Amino acid sequence: KSLSLRARAVVEGFMSGLHRSPRTGFSTEFTEYRQYAQGDDVRFLDWKVMARTDREFIKKFEDETNLRCTFMVDFSRSMEFGGDEAGVKKSDYGRTIAASLAWFLIQQRDAVGLATFDRDVREFIPPRYRQDQLKTILGRLETQPAGQETDLCQALNKMASLVGKRGMIVLVSDYLTPIDELERSLTLFTAAGHDVRAVQVLHPLELDFGFEEAAIFEDMESGQNLILDPRLAREAYLEKIKAHNDVLDDTFSAHGITAFRASTAEPLELVLLRFLQAQPARAVVRQRRSAGRSAA
């Protein structure tokens, strides 16, 4: 039941060594000296060198943080599907994905942040690397979602104004929402140079519509009821969910967004492995364009 323990269990066994950036900052790994310039922090002056040479030098250090990652996690009502006999809730699965990746990235000294949303951004923790950041993020993710209906575009538009420096944006949602305006909202992030990753979480029953008996189906967000025999409706449903996901995939691909679709029946370790091994889609798009120009 502990999200922290679930995340730790998923992450253990994966390589969590440091990956260092060629950029420089004032961190813990000394790289070289450079001459002091007006405005530099005098705390980093090497007084011993100055005593020997009568020249002022600043110690430069290697910046161990080369990634700023913000997780956007869907806390809307549709994510509450599942649980009990129906298997894992989408909200539990999605929150554990975010918690596991946050744990992994912070082990690598990356800066990690979190935003939760339904119709709007409800909470926002700016990405940082510090000792208590993981505890803060896990504490927010432990909160049981009590959101309303989904408005992914409005939430993305709000986040675009909150996210500052260029980094990675990981969107965790079921994406069961009209996607007509999604393309414009995604452009706000891709045009700013962010590496956007989309994780779609769906329950097996949403993928195969494996219901057997006629029943009253209730929309978890609008409350609308529909009396339905699933055996008669299954074929039409499967066509519609496939068409929806195909348009979603095309939208992500057109914007160079790396996308993953995960069933809540899939082991989380495999999802994490897919995420870490995936080449950014924007790089693939650039490679294809370069190959096209070469062929021309």
Side-chain angles (χ1 to χ4, degrees):
K1 292 184 179 180
S2 167
L3 178 62
S4 176
L5 290 178
R6 289 204 306 270
R8 183 171 183 173
V10 172
V11 171
E12 283 183 349
F14 285 91
M15 182 178 67
S16 58
L18 296 178
H19 52 203
R20 294 187 172 89
S21 167
R23 298 176 302 182
T24 56
F26 296 114
S27 185
T28 57
E29 295 290 325
F30 170 73
T31 53
E32 60 179 343
Y33 291 102
R34 69 167 171 79
Q35 195 158 357
Y36 173 81
Q38 187 174 359
D40 285 337
D41 194 331
V42 296
R43 291 179 300 168
F44 301 105
L45 279 170
D46 192 313
W47 301 102
K48 292 182 179 179
V49 171
M50 189 168 66
R52 291 198 307 266
T53 65
D54 200 27
R55 299 176 65 185
E56 299 167 332
F57 284 94
I58 290 285
K59 289 181 177 179
K60 292 180 68 177
F61 297 84
E62 185 175 24
D63 183 1
E64 294 178 338
T65 299
N66 66 352
L67 178 66
R68 293 170 56 85
C69 180
T70 303
F71 292 93
M72 285 189 67
V73 183
D74 190 343
F75 268 37
S76 65
R77 288 176 183 168
S78 68
M79 292 293 287
E80 289 302 285
F81 182 71
D84 299 327
E85 296 180 0
V88 180
K89 276 186 182 181
K90 291 190 293 183
S91 61
D92 289 340
Y93 195 90
R95 287 183 295 152
T96 308
I97 288 175
S100 301
L101 287 169
W103 190 298
F104 182 86
L105 293 173
I106 285 179
Q107 291 295 313
Q108 296 193 134
R109 296 180 175 269
D110 290 320
V112 179
L114 172 70
T116 62
F117 70 93
D118 45 40
R119 287 186 304 182
D120 202 349
V121 175
R122 298 304 175 189
E123 292 189 272
F124 176 58
I125 304 171
R128 294 189 180 96
Y129 172 70
R130 62 185 188 188
Q131 199 168 23
D132 61 344
Q133 184 77 345
L134 180 61
K135 183 178 179 180
T136 302
I137 288 174
L138 293 179
R140 300 293 175 87
L141 288 173
E142 284 274 15
T143 305
Q144 192 63 27
Q148 304 178 39
E149 63 270 20
T150 312
D151 190 335
L152 183 56
C153 294
Q154 181 172 319
L156 287 173
N157 294 342
K158 178 70 171 293
M159 273 301 296
S161 65
L162 294 175
V163 177
K165 295 180 181 179
R166 185 169 56 187
M168 179 183 288
I169 308 293
V170 181
L171 302 171
V172 182
S173 174
D174 56 13
Y175 297 94
L176 296 181
T177 183
I179 55 178
D180 299 339
E181 299 180 5
L182 182 60
E183 188 168 4
R184 184 170 57 184
S185 299
L186 291 172
T187 302
L188 297 175
F189 292 94
T190 55
H194 295 288
D195 176 8
V196 182
R197 309 289 179 101
V199 182
Q200 184 185 27
V201 177
L202 292 175
H203 192 279
L205 289 173
E206 293 174 323
L207 290 167
D208 61 21
F209 207 65
F211 300 97
E212 297 298 333
E213 298 180 0
I216 299 175
F217 287 78
E218 179 181 347
D219 187 313
M220 299 185 71
E221 297 196 348
S222 70
Q224 180 182 356
N225 292 329
L226 183 66
I227 301 174
L228 194 68
D229 185 340
R231 292 168 295 184
L232 300 177
R234 183 172 294 116
E235 184 176 349
Y237 172 85
L238 293 177
E239 288 179 0
K240 286 191 174 183
I241 192 67
K242 182 180 185 302
H244 175 85
N245 287 338
D246 285 347
V247 172
L248 190 64
D249 291 344
D250 289 344
T251 301
F252 289 144
S253 178
H255 286 77
I257 294 173
T258 307
F260 307 87
R261 183 166 295 120
S263 162
T264 57
E266 183 177 1
L268 279 162
E269 295 90 332
L270 298 183
V271 178
L272 181 59
L273 185 62
R274 277 199 289 154
F275 184 94
L276 297 174
Q277 289 182 335
Q279 183 179 11
R282 299 187 76 185
V284 176
V285 170
R286 286 195 295 268
Q287 288 175 3
R288 288 174 179 170
R289 288 174 180 169
S290 298
R293 286 194 294 268
S294 298

